[in-house]
Amino acid sequence: MAPWWGRGEARGGDGTSVVVKMESPDWAVPGSEAAAAGAKAGRGKNARQITWVLLLKAHRAAGKLTGAASAALSVAAAARRRVAAGRTDSDAPLGESPVLRTRFYGCLRAFLVLSVLLFAVDVAAHLQGWHLAVDVPDLLAVEGLFAAAYASWARVRLEYLAPALQFLANACVVLFLIQSADRLILCLGCLWIKLKGIKPVPAAAGKGSDDVEAGADDFPMVLVQIPMCNEKEVYQQSIGAVCSLDWPRSNFLVQVLDDSDDAATSALIKEEVEKWQREGVRILYRHRVIRDGYKAGNLKSAMNCSYVKDYEFVVIFDADFQPQPDFLKRTVPHFKGKEDVGLVQARWSFVNKDENLLTRLQNINLCFHFEVEQQVNGIFLNFFGFNGTAGVWRIKALEDSGGWMERTTVEDMDIAVRAHLKGWKFLFLNDVECQCELPESYEAYRKQQHRWHSGPMQLFRLCFVDIIKSKIGFWKKFNLIFLFFLLRKLVLPFYSFTLFCIILPMTMFIPEAELPAWVVCYIPATMSLLNILPAPRSFPFIVPYLLFENTMSVTKFNAMISGLFQLGSAYEWVVTKKSGRSSEGDLVALAEKQSKPQRVGSAPNLDSLVTGESHLKKDSKKKKHNRIYRKELALSFLLLTAAARSLLSVQGIHFYFLLFQGVSFLVVGLDLIGEQVE
C-alpha cells in the first residue's frame, strides 16, 4: 500500500484529472533528524511495553511461588503438629486386629532397618568403586575384611536371593497382566454398551407410574427400610427424602431401623419419625437394644415382622442416602413381566465429591465401579455384587435365598451370591442415581476399605463349596470363583502391595533381579487412564490417583489377609462416619419447608432435647483427631531409602516412581490427605 504522500490524482468539476504533488513530512524522509527521533520514540514505547509485560509475568510467577510456599508451610506445620501430638493408629478405635496390626508393623519396621543397613553398605562399596563394576573374583583379590564380606554378600545375592526374587517378581507381573487384561475387557464391554445404546428397559404397561389416571391398585406394595446406627448427622435428611418419594402413601411403608446405642440420638430419630407420622406418612420406628449381627441382624429382624407378607418389594437406603422423589417410579417397573429378576440396583452419586483430595480420588474409583464394572456385569451376566443400599429387592428372592445372614461383614455381597446361585437375575440402572456421602477423613475411609476387603474373603471361604455344588452353569461358576472373588478381591490387593511396595524396593538392593520400566510405569499409567475415563473432570488427578491406589494397597492387603485367615479384625463392623452434607435440592426444599407455618401440636419433645443437649456436651469432649499411621510411614521411609539406593545404579524411571510413591506414603502416613482437624 503506497504512503499518502507523493503523487496524487484529483478530478475537477469538468471531469478532467489534475495531478497533485504532495510533499512528504520531515519525519518520513529517511536520514532526517525527525525520522530518527520518531524511530527512537517508537523503540522506547515498545521497550516500555515489553517491560510491563515482563513485570506482569514476574508478578504472576511471584504470586504462584508465594502460594506454593504458603501451602508448603501449611503442610509442614500440620506435619509438625501431627508429630508433636503423638497420636498414632495404635490408639485409634477398633477396626483391625491389634495382634495382626502389631505383627505387620513389626515386619515392615524390620524390613526398613534392613534396607537402611544395606543402603549404608552399598554406599560404602560404591565409594570404593565396587558397585556392580567389579565381579566377585575381583573383589576376592582385594585385601581387607570389608571387601571379603561384601564379596560374600554379592555371591549370596547373585546365587540365592536374586533368582527367588526374580521368580516372585515374574509371578506378580503375570498376575498384574491378567488383572490388567480383565480391566481392559470390562472397558471394551462398557464401550460396546455406549455405542449400541444398551440399557434395561421396563416393560410397557397400559396404566403405570406416569399415567395420571392410574390408581393405587396399579402400584405394587413397597417396603422401604432405613438402617442406621448413631448417625445423628444424616438421619433427618435421609428420612425426609424417603418420606417424599412419589408413590401412593397407602402402597408403601417406611421402616426406620435404629441400632443406636446413644439415647440422645435415638430420641432425635424417634421424634423425626413422629413428625412425619403427623404429616400422614406411613412410617414406623424400630429400635434394637442388642445389636446382634450389626446391619444384617437389623435387616433380618425387620423382615420378621408379620406385616412384611403384605409387601412385594423392599427398598434399602443407608442413613446418608437421599433418593430422588421419582426413585420408585424409575426402578420398580423393571420387575413387571420379569419374574426371574430379583434385584434392581441404582447408581450412587456424591454430594461431597469435590470436598478434598481424598473425596476426589474416591469418586474416580466409584465412578469406574458403577459405570464399568456394575453396568457391564449387569448387562452381560445379569449378576453383580449388591451395593447394600439404593437397591430394590423382590421379597420372594430374599426369602428364596435364605434371607439376611450375619456370618460376614459384607451381608450385601452374601445375599447377592446366594440369590445368584438360586438363579435370580440382577439389573443395574446406570441412569438412576441416588445421592450419598463419601468419607472425608482418611481414618473413616481406611476403616471402610478394611471392611470392604476383608468381608469378601470371609464369604469366599464360606460359600466356595456351595458354588461348586450349585446347579448354575460352568461359566457362571468360573466367573464367581476366578473373576469375582479371586482376581478382583484377592489378586488385586496382593500384587499391588507385593509388587510395588515390597519387590520393587528389594530390586534396588538386589540389582541382579529387576522389574522392566513398562511394569513400573507404562501399564500402571494406562490402567489409571482407563479408570479415570468415567470421571473425565478428574483427569488432572491421574498421577495422585495412581500413587494413592498403591498407597491404599497396604490397607487392602492387610484386610484381605484378615478375612482369608479368619483373624479377629475380619468380624469387626465399624460404621463409616458421615458429615451430613446436603445437595442443593435438599437445601432448597428445606428452605421452602421452613417457610411454611408449623402445625398446632407439633412442638418438639423438650425432654429429649434436654437429654440430647447434655449428651452433645459430653460428645464435644470427644474431639476428632488426625493421626500418624505407622505402617504407611514405615513404607514411606522404605521407599525413599530404595529411591536413594537406585541413584547408585542409575535406575532412571525407577527412581522417580520410588520417590513419588514414597512421598505419597509420607503424606498419607501423616494424615494430610483428607479432612484436617484443627
Side-chain angles (χ1 to χ4, degrees):
M1 180 177 180
W4 55 265
W5 62 86
R7 294 176 62 88
E9 182 175 345
R11 192 168 298 276
D14 56 355
T16 60
S17 61
V18 180
V19 178
V20 182
K21 183 178 182 181
M22 293 176 286
E23 298 293 336
S24 61
D26 293 337
W27 54 265
V29 179
S32 67
E33 295 181 0
K40 185 176 181 180
R43 287 195 299 271
K45 184 178 180 181
N46 292 336
R48 284 194 298 273
Q49 291 176 344
I50 294 174
T51 302
W52 279 111
V53 171
L54 293 177
L55 287 174
L56 181 60
K57 290 184 177 181
H59 177 71
R60 290 177 178 174
K64 292 181 179 180
L65 289 176
T66 303
S70 176
L73 290 175
S74 299
V75 171
R80 185 172 62 252
R81 289 195 303 269
R82 211 78 80 242
V83 175
R87 296 186 182 90
T88 65
D89 52 350
S90 61
D91 57 356
L94 291 178
E96 55 180 313
S97 170
V99 176
L100 177 64
R101 179 170 56 194
T102 302
R103 290 179 180 176
F104 194 27
Y105 173 65
C107 293
L108 292 177
R109 187 170 55 182
F111 193 24
L112 173 60
V113 172
L114 179 62
S115 67
V116 172
L117 293 176
L118 292 177
F119 176 63
V121 170
D122 285 338
V123 169
H126 186 76
L127 295 176
Q128 298 291 332
W130 298 342
H131 178 69
L132 292 184
V134 181
D135 296 330
V136 175
D138 297 331
L139 282 175
L140 293 175
V142 180
E143 296 182 357
L145 182 61
F146 180 68
Y150 192 78
S152 300
W153 160 243
R155 184 185 297 110
V156 170
R157 197 173 66 189
L158 180 64
E159 296 179 1
Y160 301 102
L161 298 181
L165 181 61
Q166 190 66 59
F167 174 79
L168 183 59
N170 293 339
C172 287
V173 168
V174 170
L175 296 177
F176 178 39
L177 293 176
I178 294 174
Q179 198 274 334
S180 300
D182 173 62
R183 183 141 303 193
L184 180 61
I185 292 173
L186 287 174
C187 291
L188 292 176
C190 182
L191 178 62
W192 179 262
I193 292 173
K194 294 292 183 184
L195 293 177
K196 296 296 183 179
I198 304 173
K199 66 176 183 178
V201 179
K207 287 185 179 181
S209 58
D210 295 329
D211 195 329
V212 295
E213 297 181 357
D217 295 338
D218 298 296
F219 295 86
M221 300 292 288
V222 177
L223 179 67
V224 183
Q225 297 177 331
I226 314 176
M228 57 180 63
C229 178
N230 295 328
E231 293 172 291
K232 57 175 176 259
E233 298 87 359
V234 295
Y235 74 93
Q236 196 169 20
Q237 61 196 35
S238 62
I239 293 176
V242 168
C243 291
S244 301
L245 288 171
D246 187 10
W247 201 256
R249 290 190 173 182
S250 60
N251 286 44
F252 84 102
L253 172 68
V254 180
Q255 286 181 320
V256 177
L257 311 177
D258 182 23
D259 261 7
S260 303
D261 55 7
D262 176 16
T265 302
S266 295
L268 292 172
I269 296 173
K270 186 175 182 181
E271 183 183 352
E272 182 72 13
V273 170
E274 292 173 351
K275 182 189 73 174
W276 283 102
Q277 286 176 342
R278 289 191 294 268
E279 295 286 339
V281 177
R282 298 177 68 238
I283 181 171
L284 298 176
Y285 174 82
R286 288 177 53 86
H287 179 259
R288 294 196 312 161
V289 178
I290 302 176
R291 293 176 56 209
D292 288 339
Y294 301 108
K295 181 180 176 181
N298 198 0
L299 294 173
K300 181 178 180 180
S301 174
M303 293 299 294
N304 288 332
C305 295
S306 58
Y307 52 80
V308 172
K309 65 179 184 300
D310 299 327
Y311 295 84
E312 185 177 359
F313 304 103
V314 59
V315 191
I316 302 169
F317 295 109
D318 281 351
D320 59 317
F321 276 71
Q322 307 164 43
Q324 297 296 322
D326 62 348
F327 182 87
L328 293 179
K329 289 187 174 181
R330 299 182 66 185
T331 53
V332 174
H334 286 272
F335 288 96
K336 188 169 185 178
K338 304 172 186 175
E339 296 300 322
D340 56 349
V341 173
L343 168 68
V344 173
Q345 173 72 59
R347 177 176 178 161
W348 300 357
S349 60
F350 311 103
V351 297
N352 61 337
K353 62 183 178 182
D354 297 324
E355 185 65 24
N356 55 43
L357 179 59
L358 178 61
T359 58
R360 291 177 185 272
L361 299 179
Q362 292 179 69
N363 180 59
I364 296 173
N365 254 343
L366 291 171
C367 281
F368 181 87
H369 170 68
F370 287 108
E371 184 86 14
V372 180
E373 293 178 338
Q374 297 290 77
Q375 184 173 214
V376 170
N377 288 321
I379 292 295
F380 293 105
L381 300 176
N382 291 123
F383 168 73
F384 47 81
F386 173 46
N387 293 117
T389 177
V392 185
W393 276 95
R394 190 189 296 272
I395 294 180
K396 182 180 178 181
L398 283 178
E399 295 173 346
D400 183 50
S401 306
W404 298 104
M405 293 186 179
E406 309 98 323
R407 56 182 182 172
T408 72
T409 57
V410 284
E411 74 294 325
D412 45 9
M413 185 181 294
D414 188 0
I415 189 65
V417 170
R418 287 186 280 117
H420 182 58
L421 296 180
K422 290 290 185 177
W424 292 97
K425 295 182 179 180
F426 302 164
L427 297 179
F428 178 75
L429 306 182
N430 192 53
D431 56 346
V432 180
E433 297 184 357
C434 188
Q435 292 185 328
C436 61
E437 280 189 27
L438 292 166
E440 296 181 7
S441 69
Y442 178 67
E443 181 180 359
Y445 178 64
R446 187 168 175 260
K447 291 175 181 177
Q448 181 196 67
Q449 293 300 304
H450 187 276
R451 177 165 55 87
W452 284 5
H453 286 82
S454 64
M457 290 297 97
Q458 301 174 27
L459 182 60
F460 180 64
R461 288 172 57 100
L462 294 171
C463 69
F464 176 75
V465 176
D466 294 333
I467 295 174
I468 297 297
K469 293 181 178 180
S470 66
K471 298 180 180 180
I472 60 175
F474 171 79
W475 289 111
K476 289 186 177 181
K477 292 181 181 180
F478 176 84
N479 173 68
L480 265 179
I481 295 175
F482 291 100
L483 296 181
F484 186 77
F485 279 114
L486 293 182
L487 185 60
R488 297 167 189 165
K489 303 297 188 296
L490 189 148
V491 170
L492 179 57
F494 172 78
Y495 87 75
S496 296
F497 174 73
T498 306
L499 186 62
F500 295 110
C501 300
I502 301 297
I503 294 178
L504 179 58
M506 288 180 66
T507 58
M508 298 299 103
F509 301 103
I510 307 177
E512 292 81 6
E514 61 179 1
L515 284 176
W518 57 268
V519 174
V520 177
C521 179
Y522 303 128
I523 291 186
T526 303
M527 292 299 103
S528 297
L529 180 62
L530 292 178
N531 280 15
I532 215 167
L533 287 179
R537 289 181 54 196
S538 302
F539 185 80
F541 301 96
I542 184 171
V543 174
Y545 171 74
L546 170 61
L547 298 175
F548 181 69
E549 281 301 289
N550 290 334
T551 304
M552 283 304 299
S553 65
V554 61
T555 297
K556 296 176 181 179
F557 177 81
N558 190 19
M560 182 266 293
I561 294 297
S562 298
L564 190 62
F565 296 102
Q566 300 290 294
L567 301 178
S569 64
Y571 297 97
E572 183 65 30
W573 179 286
V574 180
V575 178
T576 305
K577 296 298 181 183
K578 283 88 174 180
S579 301
R581 306 284 180 184
S582 296
S583 63
E584 293 182 4
D586 297 325
L587 296 176
V588 172
L590 181 62
E592 293 177 351
K593 183 179 176 182
Q594 290 179 345
S595 64
K596 296 180 180 179
Q598 297 293 327
R599 293 189 178 186
V600 178
S602 61
N605 188 339
L606 297 180
D607 294 336
S608 65
L609 288 181
V610 172
T611 306
E613 184 179 357
S614 63
H615 191 84
L616 288 175
K617 289 180 179 179
K618 294 179 181 179
D619 283 350
S620 63
K621 299 178 181 179
K622 301 178 181 179
K623 296 180 180 179
K624 294 188 297 183
H625 301 286
N626 292 108
R627 305 178 186 276
I628 293 176
Y629 296 95
R630 298 179 299 168
K631 294 192 292 292
E632 287 81 352
L633 212 56
L635 279 170
S636 74
F637 294 140
L638 171 63
L639 292 171
L640 292 174
T641 303
R645 171 60 180 82
S646 71
L647 292 176
L648 303 180
S649 304
V650 194
Q651 292 288 344
I653 199 165
H654 296 71
F655 165 74
Y656 293 105
F657 181 86
L658 288 167
L659 175 64
F660 291 127
Q661 192 64 69
V663 172
S664 175
F665 269 103
L666 182 63
V667 170
V668 173
L670 293 175
D671 199 3
L672 299 173
I673 189 172
E675 180 185 16
Q676 299 300 301
V677 181
E678 295 296 337

